Amino acid sequence: MLTSTDSLKSRKELDAELGGAARTWLDEALAEAAHDAARAPAASGTPHPEASPYASPSWELRFAAAGRHCGQENADSVRSLLLVEARAPLSSVTRLYEQGTAAERRAVLLTLHRLDLGDTALPLIEDALRANDTRLVAAAVGPYAADHLDPHAWRHAVLKCLFTEVPVAAVSRLADRARGDAELARMLSDFAAERTAAGRPVPEDLRTVLALTAPADEGGHPAGPTAAPAAPAPTEES
């Protein structure tokens, strides 16, 4: 399942789907998250005197248990709501990602753009893009990556999607960032040439992205698409 940010459910949608026990659990979990956010240290970073540096907030334990109480089909949405309600700081986000399962990591990645973290969570995106888990790769190329990855890293993220067969529809703001990107066009053409030389098909998604790299014309419309290398003609040996 390649969950996208668009598939996350709102609190209202969850309330309509969850049973009574699950709704009660969610109410309590979100209340704990909101309470922790209200107790957050001031901008000076001074911790609360009663806070232990080794203790995780109770809502983080709820984060891990979301699928068990609200169903795996709702787990991403519930975990995202918890992160937002807690106004999760980088320390919590990093801990939940590093210690979490693949599903918990995916929920973190899907929510980063809804948290006030600036570019400080980029190491999590970079880690996910090194993974071979397509669920993490798809989650990593969402709005946060579109906003914060530099051009070089973003181009390689697009190529990672092509390598791992993650649909490029998962890449947020693909058309905006690809438009007029001659370096991305070169990388895509090289990749297509390598596939063609090896007798392997060129992914249709590659052709899609390559067309998007065309610079806009004077009217602001994309120019004609750049053609990917054609497949080699069959020989007598083939």
Coordinates of all heavy atoms in Angstrom, one line a residue, residues 117-203:
L117 N 8.7 22.4 11.4 CA 10.1 21.9 11.5 C 11.1 22.6 10.6 O 12.3 22.3 10.7 CB 10.1 20.4 11.3 CG 9.2 19.6 12.3 CD1 9.2 18.1 11.8 CD2 9.8 19.7 13.7
G118 N 10.6 23.4 9.7 CA 11.6 24.0 8.7 C 12.2 22.8 7.9 O 11.5 21.8 7.6
D119 N 13.5 22.9 7.7 CA 14.2 21.9 6.9 C 14.9 20.9 7.9 O 15.7 20.1 7.4 CB 15.1 22.5 5.9 CG 16.3 23.3 6.6 OD1 16.3 23.4 7.8 OD2 17.1 23.8 5.8
T120 N 14.6 21.0 9.2 CA 15.4 20.2 10.1 C 15.1 18.7 10.1 O 15.9 17.9 10.5 CB 15.1 20.6 11.6 OG1 13.7 20.5 11.9 CG2 15.5 22.1 11.8
A121 N 14.0 18.3 9.4 CA 13.7 16.9 9.3 C 14.2 16.2 8.0 O 13.9 15.1 7.7 CB 12.2 16.6 9.5
L122 N 15.0 17.0 7.2 CA 15.5 16.4 6.0 C 16.3 15.1 6.1 O 16.2 14.3 5.3 CB 16.3 17.5 5.3 CG 15.6 18.4 4.4 CD1 16.6 19.5 3.8 CD2 14.9 17.7 3.2
P123 N 17.0 14.9 7.2 CA 17.7 13.6 7.4 C 16.7 12.4 7.4 O 17.1 11.3 6.9 CB 18.4 13.8 8.8 CG 18.7 15.2 8.9 CD 17.4 15.9 8.3
L124 N 15.5 12.6 7.8 CA 14.6 11.5 7.8 C 14.2 11.2 6.3 O 14.0 10.1 5.9 CB 13.3 11.8 8.6 CG 13.6 12.2 10.0 CD1 12.2 12.4 10.8 CD2 14.5 11.2 10.7
I125 N 14.0 12.3 5.5 CA 13.6 12.1 4.1 C 14.8 11.4 3.4 O 14.6 10.5 2.6 CB 13.4 13.5 3.4 CG1 12.1 14.1 4.1 CG2 13.2 13.3 1.9 CD1 10.8 13.4 3.8
E126 N 16.0 11.9 3.7 CA 17.2 11.3 3.0 C 17.3 9.8 3.4 O 17.7 9.0 2.6 CB 18.4 12.1 3.4 CG 18.4 13.5 2.9 CD 19.4 14.4 3.6 OE1 20.0 14.0 4.6 OE2 19.5 15.6 3.1
D127 N 17.0 9.5 4.7 CA 17.1 8.1 5.1 C 16.1 7.2 4.3 O 16.4 6.1 3.8 CB 16.9 8.0 6.6 CG 16.9 6.5 7.1 OD1 18.0 6.0 7.3 OD2 15.8 5.9 7.2
A128 N 14.9 7.7 4.2 CA 13.8 7.0 3.5 C 14.1 6.7 2.1 O 13.8 5.7 1.5 CB 12.5 7.7 3.7
L129 N 14.8 7.7 1.5 CA 15.1 7.6 0.0 C 16.3 6.7 -0.2 O 16.5 6.2 -1.3 CB 15.5 9.0 -0.5 CG 14.3 9.9 -0.7 CD1 14.7 11.3 -1.1 CD2 13.3 9.4 -1.7
R130 N 17.0 6.3 0.8 CA 18.0 5.3 0.7 C 17.5 3.9 0.9 O 18.1 2.9 0.6 CB 19.1 5.5 1.8 CG 20.0 6.7 1.5 CD 21.2 6.7 2.4 NE 20.9 6.9 3.8 CZ 20.9 8.1 4.4 NH1 21.1 9.2 3.7 NH2 20.6 8.2 5.7
A131 N 16.2 3.8 1.3 CA 15.6 2.5 1.6 C 15.1 1.8 0.3 O 15.0 2.5 -0.7 CB 14.4 2.7 2.6
N132 N 14.9 0.5 0.4 CA 14.3 -0.2 -0.7 C 12.8 -0.5 -0.5 O 12.2 -1.1 -1.4 CB 15.1 -1.5 -0.9 CG 16.5 -1.3 -1.4 OD1 16.7 -0.5 -2.3 ND2 17.4 -2.1 -0.9
D133 N 12.3 0.0 0.6 CA 10.9 -0.1 0.9 C 10.1 0.9 0.1 O 10.2 2.1 0.4 CB 10.6 0.0 2.4 CG 9.2 -0.3 2.8 OD1 8.3 -0.1 2.0 OD2 9.0 -0.8 4.0
T134 N 9.3 0.5 -0.9 CA 8.6 1.4 -1.8 C 7.6 2.3 -1.0 O 7.3 3.4 -1.4 CB 8.0 0.7 -2.9 OG1 7.1 -0.3 -2.4 CG2 9.0 0.1 -3.9
R135 N 7.1 1.8 0.1 CA 6.1 2.6 0.9 C 6.8 3.8 1.5 O 6.2 4.9 1.6 CB 5.5 1.7 2.0 CG 4.7 0.5 1.5 CD 4.4 -0.4 2.7 NE 5.6 -0.9 3.3 CZ 5.7 -1.7 4.4 NH1 4.6 -2.0 5.1 NH2 6.8 -2.1 4.9
L136 N 8.1 3.6 1.9 CA 8.8 4.7 2.5 C 9.3 5.7 1.4 O 9.2 6.9 1.6 CB 10.0 4.2 3.3 CG 9.7 3.4 4.5 CD1 11.0 3.0 5.2 CD2 8.8 4.0 5.4
V137 N 9.7 5.2 0.3 CA 10.1 6.0 -0.8 C 8.9 6.9 -1.3 O 9.0 8.1 -1.5 CB 10.6 5.2 -2.0 CG1 10.9 6.1 -3.2 CG2 11.9 4.5 -1.6
A138 N 7.7 6.3 -1.4 CA 6.5 7.1 -1.9 C 6.2 8.1 -0.9 O 5.8 9.3 -1.2 CB 5.4 6.1 -2.1
A139 N 6.3 7.8 0.4 CA 6.0 8.8 1.5 C 7.0 9.9 1.5 O 6.7 11.0 1.9 CB 5.8 8.1 2.8
A140 N 8.2 9.6 1.2 CA 9.3 10.6 1.3 C 9.3 11.6 0.2 O 9.9 12.7 0.4 CB 10.7 9.8 1.3
V141 N 8.6 11.4 -0.9 CA 8.6 12.4 -2.0 C 7.3 13.2 -2.0 O 6.9 13.7 -3.0 CB 8.8 11.7 -3.4 CG1 10.2 11.1 -3.5 CG2 7.7 10.6 -3.6
G142 N 6.8 13.4 -0.8 CA 5.6 14.2 -0.6 C 5.8 15.7 -0.5 O 6.9 16.2 -0.9
P143 N 4.9 16.5 0.1 CA 5.1 17.9 0.1 C 6.3 18.4 0.8 O 6.9 19.4 0.4 CB 3.8 18.4 0.8 CG 2.8 17.3 0.6 CD 3.6 16.0 0.5
Y144 N 6.7 17.7 1.9 CA 7.9 18.2 2.6 C 9.2 18.1 1.7 O 9.9 19.1 1.7 CB 8.1 17.3 3.9 CG 9.2 17.8 4.8 CD1 8.9 18.8 5.7 CD2 10.5 17.4 4.7 CE1 9.9 19.3 6.6 CE2 11.5 17.9 5.5 CZ 11.2 18.9 6.5 OH 12.2 19.3 7.3
A145 N 9.3 17.0 1.0 CA 10.5 16.9 0.1 C 10.4 18.0 -1.0 O 11.4 18.6 -1.4 CB 10.5 15.6 -0.5
A146 N 9.2 18.2 -1.5 CA 9.0 19.3 -2.6 C 9.4 20.6 -2.1 O 9.9 21.4 -2.8 CB 7.5 19.3 -3.1
D147 N 9.1 20.9 -0.8 CA 9.5 22.2 -0.2 C 10.9 22.4 0.2 O 11.5 23.5 0.1 CB 8.6 22.5 1.0 CG 7.1 22.7 0.7 OD1 6.8 23.0 -0.5 OD2 6.3 22.5 1.6
H148 N 11.6 21.3 0.5 CA 12.9 21.4 1.2 C 14.1 20.7 0.5 O 15.2 21.1 0.8 CB 12.8 21.0 2.6 CG 11.9 21.8 3.5 ND1 12.1 23.1 3.8 CD2 10.6 21.5 4.0 CE1 11.1 23.5 4.6 NE2 10.2 22.6 4.7
L149 N 13.9 19.7 -0.3 CA 15.0 19.1 -1.0 C 15.6 20.0 -2.0 O 14.9 20.7 -2.7 CB 14.6 17.8 -1.7 CG 14.4 16.5 -0.9 CD1 14.0 15.4 -1.8 CD2 15.7 16.2 -0.1
D150 N 17.0 20.1 -2.0 CA 17.6 20.9 -3.0 C 17.5 20.2 -4.3 O 17.2 19.1 -4.4 CB 19.1 21.2 -2.6 CG 19.9 19.9 -2.5 OD1 19.8 19.1 -3.4 OD2 20.8 19.8 -1.6
P151 N 17.8 21.0 -5.4 CA 17.6 20.4 -6.8 C 18.3 19.1 -7.0 O 17.7 18.2 -7.6 CB 18.1 21.5 -7.7 CG 17.9 22.8 -6.9 CD 18.2 22.4 -5.5
H152 N 19.5 19.0 -6.6 CA 20.3 17.7 -6.8 C 19.6 16.6 -6.1 O 19.4 15.5 -6.7 CB 21.7 17.9 -6.3 CG 22.6 16.7 -6.4 ND1 23.1 16.2 -7.6 CD2 22.9 15.8 -5.4 CE1 23.8 15.1 -7.3 NE2 23.7 14.8 -6.1
A153 N 19.3 16.7 -4.8 CA 18.7 15.6 -4.1 C 17.3 15.3 -4.6 O 16.9 14.2 -4.7 CB 18.6 16.0 -2.6
W154 N 16.5 16.4 -5.0 CA 15.2 16.1 -5.6 C 15.2 15.3 -6.9 O 14.4 14.4 -7.1 CB 14.5 17.5 -5.8 CG 13.1 17.3 -6.2 CD1 12.0 17.0 -5.4 CD2 12.6 17.3 -7.6 NE1 10.8 16.9 -6.2 CE2 11.2 17.1 -7.5 CE3 13.2 17.5 -8.8 CZ2 10.4 17.0 -8.6 CZ3 12.4 17.5 -9.9 CH2 11.0 17.3 -9.9
R155 N 16.2 15.7 -7.7 CA 16.3 14.9 -9.0 C 16.6 13.4 -8.7 O 16.0 12.5 -9.4 CB 17.4 15.5 -9.8 CG 17.2 16.9 -10.4 CD 18.4 17.4 -11.2 NE 18.2 18.8 -11.5 CZ 19.1 19.7 -11.1 NH1 20.2 19.4 -10.4 NH2 18.9 21.0 -11.4
H156 N 17.5 13.2 -7.7 CA 17.8 11.8 -7.4 C 16.6 11.1 -6.8 O 16.4 9.9 -6.9 CB 19.0 11.7 -6.5 CG 20.3 11.8 -7.3 ND1 20.9 10.8 -8.0 CD2 21.1 12.9 -7.6 CE1 22.0 11.2 -8.6 NE2 22.1 12.5 -8.4
A157 N 15.7 11.8 -6.1 CA 14.5 11.3 -5.5 C 13.6 10.8 -6.6 O 12.9 9.8 -6.6 CB 13.8 12.3 -4.6
V158 N 13.5 11.6 -7.7 CA 12.6 11.2 -8.8 C 13.2 10.0 -9.5 O 12.4 9.0 -9.8 CB 12.6 12.4 -9.8 CG1 11.8 12.0 -11.1 CG2 11.9 13.6 -9.2
L159 N 14.5 9.9 -9.7 CA 15.1 8.7 -10.2 C 14.9 7.5 -9.3 O 14.7 6.4 -9.8 CB 16.6 9.0 -10.5 CG 17.0 9.8 -11.7 CD1 18.5 10.0 -11.7 CD2 16.5 9.2 -13.0
K160 N 15.0 7.7 -8.0 CA 14.7 6.6 -7.1 C 13.3 6.0 -7.3 O 13.1 4.8 -7.3 CB 14.8 7.1 -5.7 CG 14.6 6.0 -4.6 CD 15.7 5.1 -4.5 CE 15.5 4.1 -3.3 NZ 16.7 3.4 -3.0
C161 N 12.3 6.9 -7.6 CA 11.0 6.4 -7.9 C 11.0 5.6 -9.1 O 10.3 4.5 -9.2 CB 10.0 7.6 -8.0 SG 9.7 8.4 -6.5
L162 N 11.7 6.0 -10.1 CA 11.8 5.2 -11.4 C 12.5 3.9 -11.2 O 12.0 2.9 -11.7 CB 12.4 6.0 -12.5 CG 11.7 7.3 -12.9 CD1 12.6 8.2 -13.8 CD2 10.4 7.0 -13.6
F163 N 13.6 3.9 -10.4 CA 14.3 2.7 -10.2 C 13.5 1.7 -9.4 O 13.5 0.5 -9.7 CB 15.6 3.0 -9.3 CG 16.7 3.7 -10.1 CD1 17.4 4.7 -9.4 CD2 17.0 3.3 -11.4 CE1 18.4 5.3 -10.1 CE2 18.0 4.0 -12.0 CZ 18.7 5.0 -11.4
T164 N 12.7 2.1 -8.4 CA 11.9 1.2 -7.6 C 10.5 1.0 -8.0 O 9.7 0.4 -7.3 CB 11.9 1.8 -6.1 OG1 11.4 3.1 -6.1 CG2 13.4 1.8 -5.6
E165 N 10.1 1.7 -9.1 CA 8.8 1.5 -9.7 C 7.7 2.1 -8.8 O 6.6 1.7 -8.8 CB 8.5 0.1 -10.1 CG 9.4 -0.5 -11.1 CD 9.1 -1.9 -11.5 OE1 8.2 -2.5 -10.9 OE2 9.7 -2.4 -12.5
V166 N 8.1 3.2 -8.1 CA 7.1 3.9 -7.3 C 6.5 4.9 -8.4 O 7.2 5.6 -9.0 CB 7.7 4.7 -6.2 CG1 6.8 5.8 -5.6 CG2 8.2 3.8 -5.1
P167 N 5.1 4.9 -8.5 CA 4.5 5.8 -9.5 C 4.9 7.3 -9.2 O 4.9 7.8 -8.1 CB 3.0 5.6 -9.2 CG 2.9 4.3 -8.6 CD 4.2 4.1 -7.8
V168 N 5.3 8.0 -10.3 CA 5.7 9.4 -10.1 C 4.5 10.3 -9.7 O 4.8 11.4 -9.3 CB 6.4 9.9 -11.4 CG1 7.7 9.2 -11.7 CG2 5.4 9.9 -12.6
A169 N 3.3 9.7 -9.7 CA 2.2 10.5 -9.2 C 2.4 10.8 -7.7 O 1.7 11.7 -7.2 CB 0.9 9.7 -9.5
A170 N 3.2 10.0 -7.1 CA 3.5 10.2 -5.6 C 4.3 11.4 -5.4 O 4.4 11.9 -4.2 CB 4.2 9.0 -5.0
V171 N 5.0 11.9 -6.4 CA 6.0 13.0 -6.2 C 5.2 14.4 -6.2 O 4.6 14.8 -7.2 CB 7.0 13.1 -7.3 CG1 8.0 14.2 -7.1 CG2 7.7 11.7 -7.4
S172 N 5.2 15.0 -5.1 CA 4.5 16.3 -4.9 C 5.1 17.4 -5.8 O 6.3 17.5 -5.9 CB 4.4 16.7 -3.5 OG 3.6 15.9 -2.7
R173 N 4.3 18.2 -6.4 CA 4.7 19.3 -7.2 C 5.7 18.9 -8.3 O 6.6 19.7 -8.6 CB 5.3 20.4 -6.3 CG 4.3 21.1 -5.4 CD 4.9 22.1 -4.5 NE 5.9 22.9 -5.1 CZ 7.0 23.4 -4.5 NH1 7.2 23.1 -3.3 NH2 7.9 24.1 -5.2
L174 N 5.5 17.7 -8.8 CA 6.4 17.2 -9.8 C 6.5 18.2 -11.0 O 7.6 18.5 -11.5 CB 5.9 15.8 -10.3 CG 6.7 15.2 -11.5 CD1 8.2 15.0 -11.1 CD2 6.1 13.9 -11.9
A175 N 5.3 18.6 -11.5 CA 5.3 19.4 -12.7 C 6.0 20.8 -12.5 O 6.8 21.3 -13.3 CB 3.9 19.7 -13.2
D176 N 5.8 21.4 -11.3 CA 6.4 22.6 -11.0 C 7.9 22.5 -10.9 O 8.6 23.4 -11.5 CB 5.9 23.2 -9.7 CG 4.4 23.6 -9.7 OD1 4.0 23.9 -10.9 OD2 3.8 23.7 -8.7
R177 N 8.4 21.5 -10.2 CA 9.9 21.4 -10.0 C 10.6 20.9 -11.3 O 11.8 21.2 -11.5 CB 10.2 20.6 -8.8 CG 9.7 21.2 -7.5 CD 10.6 20.8 -6.3 NE 12.0 21.0 -6.5 CZ 12.9 20.9 -5.5 NH1 12.4 20.6 -4.2 NH2 14.1 21.1 -5.6
A178 N 9.9 20.1 -12.1 CA 10.6 19.5 -13.2 C 10.6 20.5 -14.4 O 11.5 20.4 -15.3 CB 9.8 18.2 -13.7
R179 N 9.7 21.4 -14.5 CA 9.6 22.3 -15.6 C 10.9 23.0 -15.9 O 11.4 23.7 -15.0 CB 8.5 23.3 -15.5 CG 8.2 24.2 -16.7 CD 7.0 25.0 -16.6 NE 5.8 24.2 -16.4 CZ 5.0 24.2 -15.3 NH1 5.3 25.0 -14.3 NH2 4.0 23.4 -15.2
G180 N 11.4 22.9 -17.1 CA 12.6 23.6 -17.5 C 13.9 23.1 -16.9 O 15.0 23.7 -17.0
D181 N 13.9 21.9 -16.2 CA 15.0 21.4 -15.5 C 15.9 20.6 -16.5 O 15.7 19.4 -16.7 CB 14.6 20.5 -14.3 CG 15.8 20.1 -13.4 OD1 16.9 20.1 -13.9 OD2 15.5 19.9 -12.2
A182 N 16.8 21.2 -17.2 CA 17.6 20.6 -18.2 C 18.5 19.4 -17.6 O 18.7 18.4 -18.3 CB 18.5 21.6 -18.9
E183 N 19.0 19.6 -16.4 CA 19.8 18.5 -15.8 C 19.0 17.3 -15.5 O 19.4 16.2 -15.7 CB 20.4 19.1 -14.5 CG 21.3 18.0 -13.7 CD 22.4 17.5 -14.5 OE1 22.8 18.1 -15.5 OE2 23.0 16.5 -14.1
L184 N 17.7 17.5 -15.0 CA 16.9 16.3 -14.8 C 16.6 15.6 -16.2 O 16.6 14.4 -16.3 CB 15.5 16.7 -14.2 CG 14.5 15.6 -14.0 CD1 15.1 14.5 -13.1 CD2 13.2 16.2 -13.3
A185 N 16.4 16.4 -17.2 CA 16.1 15.9 -18.5 C 17.3 15.0 -19.0 O 17.2 13.9 -19.6 CB 15.8 17.0 -19.5
R186 N 18.5 15.5 -18.7 CA 19.7 14.8 -19.1 C 19.8 13.5 -18.4 O 20.1 12.4 -18.9 CB 21.0 15.6 -18.8 CG 22.3 15.0 -19.2 CD 23.5 15.6 -18.6 NE 23.5 15.5 -17.2 CZ 23.9 14.3 -16.5 NH1 24.2 13.3 -17.2 NH2 23.9 14.3 -15.2
M187 N 19.6 13.5 -17.0 CA 19.6 12.3 -16.2 C 18.6 11.3 -16.7 O 18.9 10.1 -16.8 CB 19.4 12.7 -14.8 CG 20.5 13.5 -14.2 SD 20.1 14.2 -12.5 CE 20.1 12.8 -11.5
L188 N 17.4 11.7 -17.0 CA 16.4 10.8 -17.5 C 16.7 10.2 -18.8 O 16.5 9.0 -19.1 CB 15.0 11.6 -17.6 CG 14.4 12.1 -16.3 CD1 13.2 13.0 -16.5 CD2 14.0 10.9 -15.4
S189 N 17.3 11.1 -19.7 CA 17.7 10.6 -21.0 C 18.8 9.5 -20.9 O 18.8 8.5 -21.6 CB 18.1 11.7 -21.9 OG 17.0 12.6 -22.2
D190 N 19.7 9.8 -20.0 CA 20.8 8.8 -19.8 C 20.2 7.5 -19.2 O 20.7 6.4 -19.7 CB 21.8 9.4 -18.8 CG 22.7 10.5 -19.4 OD1 22.6 10.7 -20.6 OD2 23.4 11.1 -18.6
F191 N 19.3 7.6 -18.3 CA 18.7 6.4 -17.7 C 18.0 5.6 -18.8 O 18.0 4.4 -18.9 CB 17.8 6.8 -16.6 CG 17.0 5.7 -15.9 CD1 17.7 4.5 -15.6 CD2 15.7 5.7 -15.7 CE1 17.0 3.4 -15.0 CE2 15.0 4.7 -15.1 CZ 15.7 3.5 -14.7
A192 N 17.2 6.3 -19.7 CA 16.4 5.7 -20.7 C 17.4 5.0 -21.7 O 17.1 3.9 -22.2 CB 15.6 6.7 -21.4
A193 N 18.5 5.7 -22.0 CA 19.5 5.1 -23.0 C 20.1 3.8 -22.4 O 20.3 2.9 -23.1 CB 20.6 6.1 -23.3
E194 N 20.4 3.8 -21.1 CA 20.9 2.6 -20.5 C 19.9 1.5 -20.5 O 20.3 0.3 -20.8 CB 21.3 2.9 -19.0 CG 22.4 3.9 -18.8 CD 22.6 4.3 -17.4 OE1 21.9 3.7 -16.5 OE2 23.5 5.2 -17.1
R195 N 18.6 1.8 -20.3 CA 17.6 0.7 -20.3 C 17.5 0.2 -21.8 O 17.4 -1.0 -22.0 CB 16.3 1.3 -19.9 CG 16.2 1.9 -18.5 CD 15.9 0.8 -17.4 NE 14.6 0.3 -17.7 CZ 13.9 -0.5 -16.7 NH1 14.5 -0.7 -15.6 NH2 12.8 -1.0 -17.0
T196 N 17.5 1.1 -22.7 CA 17.3 0.7 -24.1 C 18.5 -0.1 -24.6 O 18.3 -1.2 -25.2 CB 17.2 2.0 -25.0 OG1 16.1 2.7 -24.6 CG2 17.1 1.6 -26.5
A197 N 19.7 0.3 -24.2 CA 20.9 -0.5 -24.6 C 20.9 -1.9 -24.0 O 21.5 -2.8 -24.5 CB 22.2 0.3 -24.1
A198 N 20.3 -2.0 -22.8 CA 20.2 -3.3 -22.2 C 19.0 -4.1 -22.6 O 18.8 -5.3 -22.1 CB 20.2 -3.1 -20.6
G199 N 18.3 -3.6 -23.6 CA 17.1 -4.3 -24.1 C 16.0 -4.3 -23.1 O 15.1 -5.2 -23.3
R200 N 15.9 -3.4 -22.2 CA 14.9 -3.3 -21.2 C 13.9 -2.2 -21.6 O 14.3 -1.2 -22.2 CB 15.4 -3.1 -19.8 CG 16.4 -4.2 -19.4 CD 17.0 -3.9 -18.1 NE 16.0 -4.0 -17.0 CZ 16.3 -3.6 -15.7 NH1 17.5 -3.1 -15.4 NH2 15.4 -3.7 -14.8
P201 N 12.6 -2.3 -21.3 CA 11.7 -1.3 -21.6 C 11.9 0.0 -20.8 O 12.4 0.0 -19.7 CB 10.3 -1.9 -21.3 CG 10.6 -2.9 -20.2 CD 12.0 -3.5 -20.6
V202 N 11.6 1.1 -21.5 CA 11.7 2.4 -20.8 C 10.4 2.7 -20.1 O 9.3 2.6 -20.7 CB 12.0 3.6 -21.8 CG1 11.9 4.9 -21.1 CG2 13.3 3.4 -22.5
P203 N 10.4 2.9 -18.7 CA 9.1 3.1 -18.0 C 8.3 4.2 -18.6 O 8.9 5.3 -18.9 CB 9.6 3.4 -16.6 CG 11.0 2.9 -16.5 CD 11.6 3.0 -17.9

